Amino acid sequence: SELIRGFLLSGMPCPSSCPPGLLALMAPGLALMATFSLPSQAGDRRALPVEKPPGVKGRTLILLDVNTKSPVRIISENFLSLQLDPSIIHDGWLDFLRTDFLQFHNVKNPAKSRGGPGPDYYLKNYEDDIVRSDIALDKQKGCKIAQHPDIMLELQREKAAQMHLVLLKEQFSNTYSNLTLTARSLDKLYNFADCSGLHLIFALNALRRNPNNSWNSSNALSLLKYSASKKYNISWELGNEPNNYRTLMGRSVNGSQLGKDYTQLRSLLQLIRTYSRAHLYGPNIGRPRKNVVAFLEGFMKVAGGTVDAVTWQHYYIDGQVAKVTDFLKTRLLDTLSDQIRKIQKVVNTYTPGKKIWLEGVGMTSAGGMNNLSDSYAAGFLWLNTLGLLASQGIDVVVRHSFLDHGHNHLVDQNFNPLPDYWLSLLYKRLIGPKVLAIHVAGLQRKPRPGRVIRDKLRIYAHCTSYHNHNYVRGSITLYIINLHRSRKKIKLAGTLRDKIVHQYLLQPYGKDGLHSKSVQLNGQPLAMVDDGTLPELKPRPLRAGRTLVIPPLTMSFYVVKNVNALACRYR
């Protein structure tokens, strides 16, 4: 499943059998979201009374078992979502996106959007701007996709490069041009989402204020009425990182006031028959520092019962000072856990059990750093983020972003997949929504007084995705992050013992090592077959009972076949 936010663009390709999902749109831009399920937390460990096999040194062998009776968490089918920056609405760039751009064939996914892609377009004449070629949406026959000349992709690449420079200039000068969403743009976006099997979430502009600082909803009401007249199935938000409005825009809105604004928006939705039961998400705050926690408390007091899920954002590193070694620090990997606990504490105080979304996450802020946040090394943070969020009960995560002006994205300016794209694609294909508890022996060291042990080997487990027909129900998928500079050996025990295992080992490809922007799967480099075709992701079968050998500084997935796990037999 996939989502997009900001311009959130759910961008992970999916097999034709993938389940339905959502698409989301947020002001001041548009976005799509893509979601995936996550494995269980590496912190759930209990020693196993299993004897060491002869000839294997105890200090290097790790024994691993999984509780197969019941899941510890069940995450949304739309867990992993993606964002496309709202800036793509600049200069008509929206016209260049196609329904096959994301490889979303027969996929139904959530997507969050603050601006967004539209139906297929092609250039009939290079000098003649864009000639529209509408997608014919037929509920019986589906969407008919226009054929595109070869020059289309070249124009996409040119426009992406131009946009990249313009937006970097705006970012560093802290001055931003206005983005205007027209009815025609919304039509394009919705058609793109609908034909791609995405659900659209639209974030309205919260900065239109009355003299008393209450939200001016007149513009939003016009958009709601237009969307309803077209019978567009859309969910809604209001604003983006409202705690930063004073810094970025010179306007200040506190949590209580935004709560009142959300209550007003809910009342508007209930007045319009099409949206009387539409979903509403917010407040999409920034990292929960002290002032942001206070903002969230004010919001929850007023509007906690109004929203269907509480949303926030998290970025790990200051993009201006990041080094490749930062991505290997366990202390950095663990910062997200503390942020989750802060958000959950506030939410559970006012609305116990309310769903929580991490609606914007990136490895680095300020657009990221070239050759770092778009490199293989950044994948350690990304995969661990997925594991932590799923194991701690976060329902949806939105990755910033599929394509934007910085270096946190999943494809480069030529639309070539970057390491995190392949990582996300494997996650989507192999990981189901049921999170399983793991039990490990031989990994945890005895802590010294006053010292926290931070594991460099992180293991998560899920039921294998029901939508992957290569594996029968009851199979289990492990994914493992090895931050050690030495290989680690894992022996599967208990219910996993003597089962055939399929290995998907991701390593950097080429001479750049951890800085590489290319990856290899089981020793074979990954690259698109052509502009519209993904390569086959072939596993390496391991014989039953074989010890798993995890190379240093790698990420890997292991499908344990035919476990017949009770937790995984039924949806």
Side-chain angles (χ1 to χ4, degrees):
S1 330
E2 334 228 354
L3 297 173
I4 305 181
R5 166 194 169 289
F7 273 151
L8 289 183
L9 180 65
S10 51
M12 299 318 309
C14 176
S16 61
S17 57
C18 279
L22 320 169
L23 170 68
L25 173 68
M26 305 179 58
L30 303 177
L32 305 177
M33 303 166 70
T35 62
F36 303 74
S37 340
L38 294 187
S40 75
Q41 189 175 9
D44 183 6
R45 303 190 176 88
R46 285 183 285 175
L48 295 174
V50 183
E51 295 181 0
K52 294 176 290 185
V56 181
K57 295 181 180 179
R59 67 184 180 85
T60 62
L61 184 67
I62 295 155
L63 301 175
L64 171 65
D65 192 12
V66 172
N67 183 342
T68 60
K69 293 182 179 179
S70 61
V72 291
R73 306 279 187 188
I74 300 179
I75 305 303
S76 169
E77 287 276 0
N78 301 307
F79 176 79
L80 178 52
S81 302
L82 306 176
Q83 173 178 350
L84 184 65
D85 196 271
S87 54
I88 67 164
I89 210 168
H90 270 295
D91 302 323
W93 203 83
L94 177 64
D95 291 341
F96 287 89
L97 289 181
R98 317 191 307 246
T99 56
D100 60 345
F101 181 75
L102 301 178
Q103 298 283 316
F104 280 175
H105 299 300
N106 302 318
V107 184
K108 296 281 186 183
N109 295 317
K112 181 165 185 283
S113 198
R114 289 181 294 190
D120 281 18
Y121 282 76
Y122 65 97
L123 276 188
K124 214 168 188 179
N125 185 313
Y126 192 85
E127 282 86 18
D128 284 348
D129 201 358
I130 302 296
V131 177
R132 198 168 90 159
S133 171
D134 284 316
I135 292 176
L137 182 60
D138 185 307
K139 295 303 180 185
Q140 301 301 319
K141 298 180 180 179
C143 297
K144 299 176 183 178
I145 310 302
Q147 296 298 312
H148 304 283
D150 292 340
I151 199 171
M152 183 65 196
L153 183 58
E154 294 305 316
L155 289 170
Q156 286 179 321
R157 289 170 175 161
E158 288 179 18
K159 183 63 73 171
Q162 294 168 11
M163 181 182 70
H164 177 78
L165 295 176
V166 169
L167 295 174
L168 280 178
K169 182 178 179 180
E170 288 187 353
Q171 177 186 321
F172 289 117
S173 65
N174 202 31
T175 56
Y176 301 91
S177 54
N178 288 329
L179 298 177
T180 301
L181 180 70
T182 63
R184 183 168 176 257
S185 295
L186 180 59
D187 292 340
K188 294 176 190 178
L189 176 67
Y190 188 83
N191 285 342
F192 170 82
D194 200 34
C195 288
S196 299
L198 299 168
H199 175 74
L200 183 65
I201 303 173
F202 193 105
L204 300 162
N205 188 350
L207 284 169
R208 294 179 63 89
R209 317 300 295 182
N210 294 314
N212 65 355
N213 207 33
S214 63
W215 178 50
N216 185 328
S217 61
S218 57
N219 185 260
L221 184 58
S222 298
L223 189 150
L224 289 171
K225 288 181 177 179
Y226 175 79
S227 300
S229 71
K230 306 285 280 189
K231 298 189 181 334
Y232 288 162
N233 180 20
I234 299 176
S235 297
W236 304 92
E237 284 194 344
L238 182 59
N240 178 50
E241 287 196 82
N243 52 288
N244 284 334
Y245 284 170
R246 179 182 291 279
T247 302
L248 295 176
M249 308 292 182
R251 300 289 299 272
S252 178
V253 178
N254 61 35
S256 297
Q257 180 58 58
L258 188 66
K260 295 175 184 177
D261 299 337
Y262 262 79
T263 302
Q264 181 182 352
L265 174 55
R266 174 60 80 185
S267 297
L268 287 180
L269 294 174
Q270 290 173 341
L271 291 174
I272 300 173
R273 185 173 182 178
T274 303
Y275 298 124
S276 61
R277 296 184 179 181
H279 287 164
L280 181 60
Y281 305 105
N284 201 24
I285 53 173
R287 262 197 328 193
R289 297 183 175 92
K290 186 175 182 180
N291 63 316
V292 180
V293 169
F295 187 102
L296 180 59
E297 289 175 337
F299 176 85
M300 295 300 295
K301 287 177 184 177
V302 176
T306 299
V307 294
D308 294 283
V310 176
T311 59
W312 103 101
Q313 302 184 27
H314 177 78
Y315 296 89
Y316 282 93
I317 306 174
D318 179 354
Q320 305 303 316
V321 298
K323 306 181 293 295
V324 70
T325 53
D326 289 337
F327 298 107
L328 309 180
K329 294 178 179 178
T330 55
R331 185 178 299 276
L332 178 66
L333 269 64
D334 291 338
T335 57
L336 180 59
S337 291
D338 182 56
Q339 308 294 332
I340 293 172
R341 285 191 291 269
K342 289 180 180 179
I343 296 292
Q344 288 176 330
K345 181 179 179 181
V346 175
V347 172
N348 290 330
T349 297
Y350 296 97
T351 53
K354 178 76 68 177
K355 291 181 179 179
I356 301 174
W357 289 13
L358 180 57
E359 203 174 76
V361 62
M363 305 310 101
T364 56
S365 60
M369 289 288 286
N370 191 23
N371 295 322
L372 288 175
S373 47
D374 51 2
S375 70
Y376 177 87
F380 296 123
L381 272 178
W382 177 225
L383 190 56
N384 190 68
T385 296
L386 295 176
L388 282 177
L389 292 171
S391 63
Q392 296 191 32
I394 303 305
D395 200 51
V396 167
V397 55
V398 181
R399 167 64 188 263
H400 183 280
S401 91
F402 184 77
L403 174 69
D404 66 7
H405 61 282
H407 303 284
N408 280 324
H409 40 240
L410 299 180
V411 299
D412 66 17
Q413 298 303 320
N414 290 319
F415 307 106
N416 297 313
L418 291 165
D420 278 5
Y421 179 97
W422 298 114
L423 189 62
S424 301
L425 177 58
L426 278 170
Y427 189 93
K428 177 181 180 66
R429 292 196 174 175
L430 299 177
I431 302 299
K434 291 184 178 180
V435 183
L436 305 175
I438 64 169
H439 311 302
V440 179
L443 180 61
Q444 186 74 13
R445 297 168 293 166
K446 185 177 181 180
R448 301 175 194 168
R451 181 179 177 185
V452 177
I453 296 299
R454 301 185 185 277
D455 292 323
K456 290 190 174 184
L457 188 68
R458 306 202 169 205
I459 306 171
Y460 301 93
H462 273 242
C463 294
T464 302
S465 173
Y466 299 129
H467 307 288
N468 190 325
H469 299 309
N470 293 321
Y471 302 108
V472 299
R473 291 193 181 186
S475 298
I476 288 173
T477 300
L478 309 170
Y479 56 92
I480 302 173
I481 303 166
N482 184 12
L483 295 173
H484 291 277
R485 297 185 180 274
S486 60
R487 68 179 186 173
K488 295 297 172 183
K489 296 179 180 180
I490 297 177
K491 189 72 174 177
L492 300 182
T495 54
L496 309 185
R497 183 189 291 120
D498 297 330
K499 302 295 183 184
I500 295 175
V501 175
H502 278 184
Q503 172 186 277
Y504 297 82
L505 174 63
L506 278 178
Q507 295 174 287
Y509 178 71
K511 62 183 180 180
D512 294 328
L514 295 179
H515 287 275
S516 178
K517 296 183 181 180
S518 300
V519 297
Q520 53 185 325
L521 177 65
N522 296 325
Q524 298 298 315
L526 288 178
M528 298 291 290
V529 176
D530 54 43
D531 290 337
T533 308
L534 288 164
E536 184 179 357
L537 302 179
K538 296 181 180 179
R540 179 190 175 195
L542 305 179
R543 61 174 172 79
R546 177 172 174 174
T547 298
L548 307 183
V549 179
I550 317 297
L553 301 176
T554 58
M555 296 166 282
S556 50
F557 296 81
Y558 294 89
V559 179
V560 187
K561 300 181 63 179
N562 304 322
V563 178
N564 197 27
L566 179 62
C568 306
R569 290 182 205 164
Y570 310 103
R571 299 186 66 171

